[in-house]
Each structure stands twice: as structure tokens, then as C-alpha cells.
Amino acid sequence: MVILSRMIIISFYVILFLYAFFLLAFLIFTMINIGHLVSTGTFTTTSFAATFLFITYSVIILGLTWFQVAEIDWQQQVTIWNPTWLSGAASFNQPY
Amino acid sequence: MTLGTFIHQKSYERIEYEIRKHPFTLVPIFIGFLALAAAPFGLYFLLSSIAPAILDGQLTMPVLILLASFYYLSIGLFLYTYFVTFYLDLLIITNDRLLHIQQQNLFARTISEVDLNKVQDVTSEVHGFFPSLFNYGTLEIQTASATEKFIVMKIPHPETLRQVILDLAVEDAKHHHTEKP
């Protein structure tokens, strides 16, 4: 088994990139759904109401997320791997 | 685009009914959505009592917020996609034919159609507590075409629709007879 001997440090904004990637997929699937409704001629009052509710719900979630994370310092560094975390594991190889 | 364009409506054809599954069939998925939406609150109270440091951590807190956002957007999108699939699943009855649009999921759709004069037999079935209470069930349409049987499940008022289809089939048969020289 290979154990990384170096520390791995990433910038915190990498998490934001992952979230942005998810938002892109979310947007694509939303557009596919709306596209289905429009292309099949089923964009009626009911489906419009459902779409409106979904968009309102999404905007509220995104707004709350923005409100919560706006003050966070995304430039800070995060250690995601440090070999010293496993330093206690060496004792497994010790003879009795 | 209109539904008529989508089904290539003929000049003499008029859409008599557009039938979707009974709205009650959406209730279980909506209850599931509410349960999923409530779950993170339970997790929050659990974490706040056993590991409050996680909720206040300078690094963990933003990650948890983004995870919660991801989660709530995902379940919202799932519910909306389920609704779209439900809404596109449709039985269309015109004065000339029956069209069954089956939307299995977002990327799978089957459309089958049969002329009303090919309809041989129509059976309706209401089975179970909730179907009896809300009057929805299955409609089986036996035809003389390549698609031998149309089975439309969970549609409202299946007995009424059965009679409607049989009446329209008789009307269509009359029309076809008068067309003969």
C-alpha cells in the first residue's frame, strides 16, 4: 500500500468550483425539463405553476446559500492529507 | 408548440380528452420529498448535541452549508423531474384515434397509437382502497392492430372513460362505413 509522505494542501475555493459544477448540471437538467414541456405542447397553466414553484424554491435555496457563505474567506488553505495523521499506525508493524 | 402539432393532428381530427394519471398518485412522492427535506434538520440537532464543534468550525461550517444547498437543490430537482415525467405521461383521445404517450423517465418516451375503429374491447379496473376512494384505476384497451393491448394505469374515472372510448369507437366505425363507395 502506498502512503503519501507529503502533505496535501488545497485552497478552500476548490469546494466552490465543485459546487459551481453541480449548479451547471442542475441548470442543464432544469432546462431539459422545461424543454420537454415546451416541445411536447404541455406547457399549460398547471405545468407553468409547477415550474414557477420549482424556480422560486431554487432561488430561495440559492439565496440562503449565498447569504450564509458570503462572509467566508475562500482564499484560506485546507490540509486534506497529512501523513502525521497516521503516525500511530506504525505501531501495527511492531513485533510483540 | 401545441399538443396538436406534437401528435400531428389531422385536419378533421379534434382532441376529445387529454388524460393523465390521477393527481393522488403524486402524493407518496410528495410525502417522500417532505421526509427528505426534514432529514437534515434531524441531523443538525443530532450534531449540535453530540459534536457542536463541527457546526461552528471555520472549515466544516461552509462545507456543510454547501452540502445542504446541494442536497435541497437535488431533491427539488428530483421532485420537479418526477412531476414533468408525470405530466408528459398522457392518454390522448381524439375523434379518430387513441395515443398513449408513456414517459418512463426524462430520457425515455414511448408513443403508441391506434385507430378508434381498431378498438375491440375496453376493460376498466379499480382495485384497492385508495383507487376506490379517489376513483382511479387501470384501463385495458384490446385492439386489432400490431399494438394488441393498451394498458393505461392509475387514470381517473376509468369506467366513464371506458364508455367514452366505446362510444367514440362506434362513431368512428360509422364514419368509416359511410366513407365506403
Side-chain angles (χ1 to χ4, degrees):
Chain A
M1 188 170 70
V2 178
I3 297 175
L4 292 171
S5 57
R6 289 183 183 176
M7 274 175 70
I8 302 175
I9 298 169
I10 60 164
S11 293
F12 204 34
Y13 60 73
V14 169
I15 294 161
L16 268 188
F17 280 124
L18 292 174
Y19 184 71
F21 184 72
F22 159 73
L23 285 186
L24 183 68
F26 177 83
L27 196 67
I28 289 169
F29 273 90
T30 303
M31 295 313 289
I32 290 171
N33 275 314
I34 295 172
H36 270 340
L37 288 173
V38 174
S39 67
T40 54
T42 49
F43 204 62
T44 60
T45 313
T46 311
S47 56
F48 175 78
T51 305
F52 180 77
L53 279 174
F54 168 69
I55 290 172
T56 307
Y57 167 87
S58 304
V59 167
I60 290 171
I61 298 290
L62 287 170
L64 285 172
T65 308
W66 173 254
F67 179 72
Q68 293 288 324
V69 300
E71 301 294 315
I72 289 164
D73 174 20
W74 294 100
Q75 298 295 328
Q76 60 185 313
Q77 304 289 302
V78 185
T79 305
I80 59 166
W81 171 252
N82 189 339
T84 60
W85 290 342
L86 287 183
S87 57
S91 61
F92 285 118
N93 297 325
Q94 298 292 321
Y96 290 107
Chain B
M1 187 188 243
T2 62
L3 192 60
T5 319
F6 180 66
I7 63 166
H8 304 290
Q9 190 174 3
K10 295 158 193 164
S11 55
Y12 58 87
E13 194 177 22
R14 65 175 186 278
I15 296 173
E16 301 278 354
Y17 294 93
E18 290 170 35
I19 301 137
R20 293 183 171 83
K21 285 180 182 170
H22 196 285
F24 183 77
T25 58
L26 282 176
V27 170
I29 205 80
F30 193 70
I31 291 171
F33 170 78
L34 291 179
L36 285 172
F41 289 97
L43 193 67
Y44 176 82
F45 286 114
L46 191 73
L47 278 177
S48 60
S49 60
I50 61 167
I54 291 176
L55 297 174
D56 297 329
Q58 200 182 0
L59 296 176
T60 51
M61 197 269 284
V63 173
L64 285 176
I65 290 168
L66 291 185
L67 274 177
S69 177
F70 165 83
Y71 177 79
Y72 278 107
L73 288 174
S74 297
I75 61 170
L77 182 63
F78 173 77
L79 185 69
Y80 181 59
T81 304
Y82 192 89
F83 167 80
V84 170
T85 308
F86 163 88
Y87 207 69
L88 296 182
D89 207 277
L90 193 59
L91 175 71
I92 302 169
I93 306 172
T94 75
N95 59 338
D96 185 54
R97 58 191 167 140
L98 293 173
L99 285 113
H100 188 202
I101 304 168
Q102 290 170 282
Q103 190 77 34
Q104 287 96 351
N105 58 54
L106 207 53
F107 302 106
R109 179 190 300 148
T110 310
I111 304 176
S112 30
E113 72 170 77
V114 64
D115 275 2
L116 276 172
N117 64 343
K118 297 264 173 62
V119 171
Q120 290 183 325
D121 183 39
V122 187
T123 312
S124 65
E125 185 188 329
V126 177
H127 188 80
F129 177 72
F130 286 115
S132 301
L133 198 64
F134 294 102
N135 194 15
Y136 66 91
T138 305
L139 201 65
E140 273 189 31
I141 304 159
Q142 186 75 42
T143 73
S145 64
T147 314
E148 280 191 354
K149 210 180 237 187
F150 268 47
I151 300 175
V152 194
M153 297 171 85
K154 298 176 182 173
I155 55 164
H157 312 294
E159 286 96 355
T160 315
L161 279 174
R162 185 182 134 272
Q163 197 53 51
V164 163
I165 291 169
L166 288 172
D167 291 347
L168 283 169
V170 170
E171 281 297 312
D172 195 49
K174 278 183 199 166
H175 177 73
H176 279 270
H177 282 300
T178 51
E179 267 185 358
K180 280 182 184 172

